[in-house]
Amino acid sequence: MRWRSFHQSPVGDALGAPRYAAIVDRPIDVAALIARVSDDGVGAVSVFLGTVRDINDGRAVTGIDYSAYRPMAESEMMAIAGEVCQTTPGLRIAIEHRVGTLAVSEVSVAIATSHARRTPALDAARLVIEALKVRVPIWKNEHYVDGDRAWVDPTGAQGLRI
Amino acid sequence: MRWRSFHQSPVGDALGAPRYAAIVDRPIDVAALIARVSDDGVGAVSVFLGTVRDINDGRAVTGIDYSAYRPMAESEMMAIAGEVCQTTPGLRIAIEHRVGTLAVSEVSVAIATSHARRTPALDAARLVIEALKVRVPIWKNEHYVDGDRAWVDPTGAQGLRI
Amino acid sequence: MCYLVRMGIPVLLFASYADAFGAPQVDVPIAAPCQVRALVDAMRALPGGVRLPSSPLVAVNRTWAASTTTIAVGDEVALIPPVAGG
Amino acid sequence: MCYLVRMGIPVLLFASYADAFGAPQVDVPIAAPCQVRALVDAMRALPGGVRLPSSPLVAVNRTWAASTTTIAVGDEVALIPPVAGG
């Protein structure tokens, strides 16, 4: 039996980097998230939005139910923000992930990063979304046009045995 | 005498990729720009914002006057959008750059890119801002706390002889 | 008075795992302290447990755990299906 | 009636170059057609022209031009200071 191990980071580290992470059950306010990373010293803001698409793996999707192990999802997102903040001084990071039933084109996740310079801001947004997708306990149940529903398993190999 | 040459691209190419570029003299509406790249087939949106920072090269900045060679700036931004769209089918790109006097923390440029998948969207936003900074005819005149003003020359070597 | 004595380790279930076990939580008949791998093995004997993959992810106190992590009495334990956020 | 006969090539100026020449546009005393490099050399003789860098960027009809690009009568010509957008 093989087990995956995950790098653990101090959530309440001494760095004091401005960071925020939350699971929300209402539409994400992107402007408010951007405001969380704004500052007079900021010269670049990078925002990543994940949205529900109408087609996945060739099947027509009508919506997605997102669910989360909420307290762990929030602490993992804060940990990711903390780890990424430690890569470059001056980074600010804010993350919100929505749960509940989302329609096509609705925003499921929003990540806002900022820095005095553009490269750290751009790099940080990418690092956060890549980490979020592998280590934050959030799941999606896709609804298809034909009425079928399925849990999405990006790993392919680790899902339930039929 | 050395001359720089720039890759030219067809602005009105046959690709028909959804792209938009404009110089504006009012605050940039980021939500409206995001809406321009939204679509039911979109799974990822990347947004880059440039903002006026309070310190540049160690000097306290109170604001920046942005000016542009407007028709060429717009056609160059459209050309950049077209070239980046050609790197990956399905990309959508919208760009606005503001001109006029901006205060600290105001948004000077906004780039929104989208795609079914996150990596093309993230890559595209970075490609656009990097290209914009080297080939779109826009200038900034920084205002400093001490009352001084200066044209910003990122190239260092190509500015006016004193 | 009536005392409900919990005879095992409560384990939180989510998404496809909650579907497999038919509940958002199961009490696994094993005594704490024990290792994560022993808990998972005990879960395989429960109704629905045969559907678990060979190496399900486990969190203890909201932190990713290894197979050798020790579960103490009172720990919050969760079995984590493949994540799909974003 | 009065005709204003323009005796050269009008060149648009921006930012620091407009400051150097003291105007947003100058008429450069050279006849079209001519090459971009000849236009720039002619501009060095104008008031403020000595402040131009060794290889200023030039756009012809809103497109980046090379030193050997030919400027025709009626072309829109602009001298482009180091750009600083973003």
Side-chain angles (χ1 to χ4, degrees):
Chain A
M1 199 184 293
R2 291 181 308 108
W3 298 79
R4 286 199 290 176
S5 67
F6 291 80
H7 173 60
Q8 300 305 319
S9 74
V11 173
D13 56 76
L15 196 70
R19 54 205 163 89
Y20 158 84
I23 297 290
V24 300
D25 45 21
R26 39 137 191 94
I28 293 171
D29 184 339
V30 176
L33 203 72
I34 290 172
R36 287 184 179 273
V37 299
S38 296
D39 184 80
D40 283 356
V42 163
V45 178
S46 183
V47 181
F48 177 83
L49 306 178
T51 56
V52 177
R53 352 180 248 289
D54 59 357
I55 305 276
N56 192 28
D57 285 341
R59 298 185 73 177
V61 172
T62 58
I64 297 181
D65 270 332
Y66 280 91
S67 57
Y69 177 15
R70 195 162 181 155
M72 182 175 169
E74 290 186 334
S75 65
E76 279 295 306
M77 292 194 298
M78 278 298 279
I80 290 167
E83 291 167 32
V84 174
C85 280
Q86 285 174 10
T87 62
T88 311
L91 275 171
R92 294 163 185 269
I93 299 177
I95 311 169
E96 280 190 357
H97 200 298
R98 187 173 167 194
V99 292
T101 302
L102 275 68
V104 168
S105 89
E106 284 198 278
V107 174
S108 53
V109 62
I111 297 160
T113 62
S114 73
H115 193 266
R117 302 283 178 179
R118 68 187 179 279
T119 301
L122 288 162
D123 289 346
R126 187 185 302 251
L127 286 170
V128 170
I129 185 61
E130 297 299 337
L132 187 149
K133 284 187 170 268
V134 297
R135 59 183 263 205
V136 177
I138 298 173
W139 302 277
K140 50 186 170 191
N141 192 247
E142 282 187 338
H143 306 185
Y144 305 103
V145 167
D146 60 12
D148 195 16
R149 297 187 175 204
W151 294 105
V152 176
D153 178 5
T155 66
Q158 298 184 307
L160 282 181
R161 293 171 178 184
I162 306 302
Chain B
M1 198 183 291
R2 291 181 309 109
W3 298 79
R4 286 199 291 177
S5 68
F6 291 80
H7 174 60
Q8 300 304 321
S9 74
V11 173
D13 56 75
L15 197 70
R19 55 207 163 88
Y20 159 85
I23 298 289
V24 301
D25 45 23
R26 39 137 190 95
I28 292 171
D29 183 339
V30 176
L33 203 73
I34 290 172
R36 285 184 180 273
V37 299
S38 295
D39 184 80
D40 284 356
V42 162
V45 178
S46 184
V47 180
F48 177 83
L49 306 178
T51 55
V52 177
R53 24 174 226 286
D54 59 357
I55 306 275
N56 192 27
D57 284 341
R59 298 185 73 177
V61 173
T62 58
I64 297 180
D65 271 332
Y66 280 91
S67 56
Y69 177 17
R70 195 160 179 156
M72 181 175 170
E74 290 186 335
S75 66
E76 279 295 306
M77 291 194 299
M78 278 298 280
I80 290 167
E83 291 167 32
V84 174
C85 279
Q86 285 174 10
T87 63
T88 310
L91 275 172
R92 293 162 185 271
I93 299 177
I95 311 169
E96 281 190 359
H97 200 299
R98 189 174 166 193
V99 291
T101 302
L102 276 68
V104 168
S105 90
E106 285 198 279
V107 175
S108 53
V109 62
I111 297 160
T113 63
S114 72
H115 193 266
R117 303 284 178 178
R118 68 187 179 280
T119 301
L122 288 162
D123 289 347
R126 187 185 302 251
L127 287 170
V128 170
I129 185 61
E130 297 299 339
L132 186 149
K133 285 188 170 267
V134 297
R135 59 183 264 204
V136 178
I138 298 173
W139 303 277
K140 49 187 172 190
N141 192 248
E142 282 187 338
H143 307 183
Y144 304 103
V145 167
D146 61 12
D148 195 16
R149 296 186 174 204
W151 294 105
V152 175
D153 179 5
T155 66
Q158 299 184 306
L160 281 183
R161 293 171 178 180
I162 306 301
Chain C
M1 281 175 77
C2 171
Y3 292 91
L4 177 65
V5 180
R6 191 171 257 170
M7 292 305 295
I9 297 173
V11 175
L12 301 174
L13 299 170
F14 301 93
S16 59
Y17 291 177
D19 284 356
F21 286 89
Q25 182 177 322
V26 290
D27 286 340
V28 182
I30 186 172
C34 71
Q35 285 196 338
V36 161
R37 83 171 88 217
L39 175 91
V40 171
D41 287 344
M43 292 184 75
R44 296 189 192 285
L46 299 178
V50 293
R51 295 180 62 198
L52 285 179
S54 59
S55 55
L57 297 172
V58 173
V60 175
N61 295 328
R62 304 171 183 178
T63 298
W64 294 105
S67 64
T68 54
T69 299
T70 296
I71 298 165
V73 173
D75 280 350
E76 181 175 307
V77 181
L79 208 61
I80 311 284
V83 304
Chain D
M1 282 175 76
C2 170
Y3 293 90
L4 178 65
V5 180
R6 193 171 257 167
M7 292 305 294
I9 297 174
V11 175
L12 301 174
L13 299 170
F14 301 93
S16 58
Y17 292 177
D19 284 356
F21 286 89
Q25 182 176 321
V26 291
D27 285 341
V28 181
I30 186 172
C34 71
Q35 284 195 340
V36 161
R37 82 172 89 215
L39 176 92
V40 171
D41 287 344
M43 292 185 75
R44 297 190 193 284
L46 299 177
V50 293
R51 296 180 63 198
L52 285 178
S54 59
S55 55
L57 297 173
V58 174
V60 175
N61 296 328
R62 305 171 182 179
T63 297
W64 294 105
S67 64
T68 53
T69 299
T70 296
I71 297 167
V73 174
D75 280 350
E76 180 174 307
V77 181
L79 208 61
I80 311 284
V83 303

